[in-house]
Amino acid sequence: GLKLCLQAAGRCMMYQCRMCCENPFAAVFGQLQKGEAPKGKERTGKGGGEGKRRSKKLAQKKYVRDEAAFQPRTEEEIQATIRQWEQYAHPRAREFFSDPELMAKVLTELAKGTDRSEDCVLGSEDKCVFWYGNITNDDNQAAIKMVKPGEDAESVTYVNRVLAFLFATDESFEKLMQLPKQPFKMSCDDQLCVHLAHIMLTV
């Protein structure tokens, strides 16, 4: 499965990301197909794979996405979560988001879109972390709005691709970049799970 970059960002060596040479946003984060504008939070419903086959690790207990049970983080909790996640961000992310505020905004959206009791980066891999933010219209994929460096307008991309770019090790990231520019498959078979550890390195 996907491995987290466990070195604190300040102790990692900076390097030039090979994937950021030409149209980095499309190459790294993928592109939504035409007509795949994200649905708003109020329109997401409960889709996304309840009842699907789970991986062996999750077979003992079935986790179900339940919007009625969603508990958003407070502003203080969001800031605390961001500070914790920033310690594990890979140098490629800090180089790509040359303005720290841009990366902080992305981390804010990730914190807002997941439950206050769950952690999509550092949480136990035995449990799904469900997405309660924007979802694509056509195929119920977790989606996020973010501003590309050097641009003012927001773009929409897939949450699991953003997570991999921000936190995956070099080895895992290089394998993921060989896959189609689509949302990554999740080992739990639920595409509205956004747990970093559930991202599959194969199609």
Side-chain angles (χ1 to χ4, degrees):
L2 188 145
K3 297 179 181 178
L4 169 68
C5 179
L6 292 177
Q7 288 182 291
R11 297 195 297 271
C12 287
M13 293 181 62
M14 297 296 289
Y15 81 107
Q16 182 66 35
C17 176
R18 294 195 301 272
M19 302 306 300
C20 298
C21 298
E22 184 176 354
N23 195 4
F25 194 72
V28 173
F29 301 121
Q31 289 182 317
L32 294 179
Q33 298 299 317
K34 188 175 182 180
E36 283 189 315
K39 294 186 284 188
K41 294 181 181 179
E42 70 278 3
R43 298 165 52 201
T44 55
K46 293 186 179 181
E50 290 87 347
K52 289 185 179 179
R53 177 180 57 82
R54 303 287 174 170
S55 67
K56 291 182 179 179
K57 288 184 178 180
L58 303 178
Q60 293 181 349
K61 183 174 181 180
K62 183 178 179 181
Y63 296 96
V64 178
R65 180 178 181 271
D66 183 3
E67 286 200 359
F70 172 59
Q71 299 182 61
R73 289 178 170 87
T74 64
E75 184 60 35
E76 291 75 16
E77 289 171 336
I78 289 173
Q79 295 305 316
T81 300
I82 290 174
R83 288 194 296 270
Q84 187 175 31
W85 286 347
E86 282 178 333
Q87 299 179 57
Y88 296 92
H90 194 281
R92 80 173 75 88
R94 295 180 179 275
E95 186 168 346
F96 185 74
F97 295 106
S98 55
D99 183 350
E101 287 298 317
L102 291 179
M103 188 170 75
K105 288 180 179 179
V106 174
L107 295 177
T108 297
E109 292 304 308
L110 293 174
K112 287 182 176 180
T114 51
D115 193 274
R116 64 185 298 188
S117 65
E118 299 172 344
D119 192 321
C120 59
V121 178
L122 303 173
S124 170
E125 64 182 79
D126 294 331
K127 181 180 179 181
C128 288
V129 176
F130 292 109
W131 180 250
Y132 295 95
N134 291 317
I135 299 173
T136 57
N137 282 317
D138 294 342
D139 53 359
N140 278 342
Q141 300 287 342
I144 187 173
K145 293 181 179 179
M146 54 185 287
V147 178
K148 294 182 286 185
E151 296 191 7
D152 297 324
E154 287 184 328
S155 299
V156 178
T157 189
Y158 301 110
V159 173
N160 57 20
R161 294 189 71 94
V162 174
L163 281 168
F165 178 73
L166 290 172
F167 300 108
T169 62
D170 290 340
E171 180 183 2
S172 294
F173 185 68
E174 288 180 7
K175 291 180 180 178
L176 290 171
M177 288 300 97
Q178 297 174 21
L179 301 178
K181 297 179 179 62
Q182 299 172 354
F184 299 128
K185 298 296 183 183
M186 307 301 286
S187 62
C188 57
D189 286 335
D190 196 322
Q191 289 303 116
L192 289 185
C193 170
V194 292
H195 199 314
L196 182 71
H198 290 189
I199 297 175
M200 297 180 65
L201 299 178
T202 57
V203 177

